[in-house]
Amino acid sequence: MDDSSTKITETTNSFEIAKQQLQIVADAMDLNPGVHEILKRPQRELTVNFPVKMDDGSIQEFTGYRVHHNLARGPAKGGIRFHPETEIDEVRALALWMTIKCAVVNIPFGGAKGGVACDPQKLSSGELERLTRRYTSEISILLGPDKDIPAPDVGTNGQIMAWLMDTYSQQVGHTVPAVVTGKPLAIGGSEGRVEATGRGVVTVAREALLASGGQLPDSRIVVQGFGNVGGAAAALFFRSGAKVIAVSDVNGALFNPKGIDILALQAYQRETKTLIGFPGAEPIPTEDFLTTPCDLLIPAALQNQITAANAPHIKARFVIEGANGPTTPPADIILRENGVTVVPDVLANAGGVTVSYFEWVQSLQSFFWSENEVNSKLESIMVKAFQQVQAAAKRHSCDLRTAAYIVGVSRVADAIQARGIYP
Ligand code: NAD
């Protein structure tokens, strides 16, 4: 694909990156300029500053956000991030990527994202609950099972979704399970949701390998991030017979060329709350981690991990983006030139929102599916999306990210055009 009409520059501003990606696709597919203008900006954004009573009796002020990027295809859907560096441009980018992602897997949602600038590791459980409830209350003008349905993201989990659901339900006066997904099974969560994103990552990794004549068993895999996405993906890779040779989290990195016993590592992490000190692997410096030679590199931590600086040294055949936005646009070009296939975030990590959709449907109907039903429906959606993206890549002679955006943006554009511009 010709990048000549698009200005690609290295930046760590995620929203600038998202707009560069959109520009590349607008050029590649000759996108209607009006639709392009609509997609460049979020439809609505809410910033909230709110106080939380801390355990020591002091009052601390926090800032949170909820952004709706585009709602042409359905209610707003997207996770909530609790992280010290969360800011509005990060949330805008994540919301834009959600619009594209929901369209790539063809589920009836628009894109949204939320976040609070805070370090959940430094808050007590009581402080975290009060922060979550007050943030929910502040953004509740946007929320609702037909309006905006949050889910977990970095730094949030099922417990936080339960507090969110309870707070919203208290406000409207009755229990509303469908206002949130990723909630615990005890209050109407879905079987299979916790590991859904990781399962989707493994499914597209398998399909990408198969398409190039490879297979998962014996593939060497490196996973950055050992949370909801990275931990679940690593465990499923391990169970499939692949060799997970290196993993990392915010505290450090581990390496074992013979393959790490991921189930033993998960048990160690549950007990000690860290990967560090695990006896079944050697510690390695985090600086060299992403350049470990492997078949599949799975960034599953945060954005901007593969940049123009380290992309030339990546020695993987495939990068499967478990995280959102782990690769910058200049790094994308370098990887492509070096023959590294990138399976983009808007496809690779769409398993989470797909099972969130299943959870929402189950919550609305109060009728629940077995884990097998959830996993097999997830499998068929991910495989179909992979095939459609691959076919678009062939049709347009482009990389998989551009192809995924062409598939997603075309569906969003069709919805915008079918609904028309009001008034
Ligand atoms: P999480 O909070 O459960 O885990 C994040 C992991 O990354 C932790 O293990 C943390 O220690 C590690 N980490 C943080 N900084 C790191 C660094 N500099 N180097 C190495 N590891 C680091 O978050 P998550 O839900 O697993 O989300 C991870 C990524 O996947 C994010 O980009 C998120 O937006 C994306 N994602 C999540 C979901 C979901 O369902 N949770 C769905 C789609 C995409």
Side-chain angles (χ1 to χ4, degrees), residues 18-90:
K19 285 189 287 185
Q20 285 186 23
Q21 292 167 338
L22 198 57
Q23 179 69 53
I24 292 170
V25 176
D27 295 344
M29 66 185 280
D30 215 5
L31 180 64
N32 175 315
V35 172
H36 188 191
E37 285 304 312
I38 292 172
L39 295 179
K40 272 185 197 167
R41 296 166 195 85
Q43 178 171 337
R44 64 171 73 97
E45 331 182 314
L46 178 64
T47 298
V48 292
N49 297 302
F50 59 94
V52 176
K53 229 183 259 172
M54 308 305 280
D55 288 348
D56 65 4
S58 66
I59 293 168
Q60 201 173 315
E61 189 74 352
F62 290 88
T63 301
Y65 312 93
R66 187 72 181 165
V67 170
H68 291 176
H69 175 258
N70 186 277
L71 308 183
R73 287 174 42 85
K77 190 84 191 81
I80 289 179
R81 179 172 289 196
F82 285 178
H83 191 272
E85 280 152 35
T86 289
E87 42 78 39
I88 186 70
D89 270 348
E90 177 187 76

Side-chain angles (χ1 to χ4, degrees), residues 124-146:
S124 70
S125 172
E127 289 168 341
L128 200 54
E129 177 173 354
R130 292 193 291 279
L131 179 145
T132 302
R133 288 185 182 278
R134 181 63 190 248
Y135 166 68
T136 304
S137 176
E138 294 289 340
I139 64 163
S140 63
I141 48 172
L142 297 180
L143 302 180
D146 300 319

Side-chain angles (χ1 to χ4, degrees), residues 227-249:
N228 182 293
V229 180
L236 289 163
F237 279 126
F238 175 72
R239 285 180 197 275
S240 74
K243 272 192 203 151
V244 182
I245 57 170
V247 297
S248 71
D249 73 359

Side-chain angles (χ1 to χ4, degrees), residues 9 13 16 34 46 72 146 153 169 182 206 209 238 243 250-251 279 283 318 357 371-372 377 385 410 417-418 421:
T9 50
N13 181 305
E16 289 307 317
L46 178 64
D146 300 319
D153 190 69
S169 298
R206 184 198 67 210
L209 273 173
F238 175 72
K243 272 192 203 151
V250 70
N251 302 312
F318 295 89
Y357 164 55
E371 189 174 354
N372 277 347
K377 286 184 165 75
S410 304
Q417 272 155 347
I421 305 296

Side-chain angles (χ1 to χ4, degrees), residues 200-216 318 320 343 347 379 382-384 386-387 390:
V201 166
V202 174
T203 305
V204 297
R206 184 198 67 210
E207 292 300 302
L209 273 173
L210 281 174
S212 70
Q215 52 173 8
L216 275 181
F318 295 89
I320 315 282
V343 181
L347 169 64
E379 161 89 13
M382 295 303 295
V383 170
K384 187 171 173 188
F386 182 85
Q387 288 169 348
Q390 210 187 22

Side-chain angles (χ1 to χ4, degrees), residues 2 74 96 109 111 145 224 233 242 254 262 275 278 300 306 328 361 378 383 418:
D2 179 15
L96 187 156
F109 288 129
Q224 183 198 38
L254 298 173
I262 298 296
L275 305 183
F278 176 64
I306 304 177
T328 65
V361 169
L378 172 63
V383 170

Side-chain angles (χ1 to χ4, degrees), residues 79 81-83 94 97-98 101 113 120-121 151-157 193-198 201 223-232 247-253 269 275 286 289 299-303 305 321-326 345 348-353 356:
R81 179 172 289 196
F82 285 178
H83 191 272
L94 290 162
W97 289 327
M98 283 306 294
K101 190 182 305 179
K113 206 79 181 191
Q121 309 286 355
D153 190 69
V154 173
T156 59
N157 56 24
R193 174 61 186 91
V194 171
E195 61 175 27
T197 311
V201 166
V223 183
Q224 183 198 38
F226 205 69
N228 182 293
V229 180
V247 297
S248 71
D249 73 359
V250 70
N251 302 312
Q269 186 198 35
L275 305 183
T286 44
F289 180 77
L302 289 171
Q303 58 270 31
Q305 298 301 301
E321 294 185 332
N324 285 308
D345 46 11
N349 70 35
V353 74
S356 274

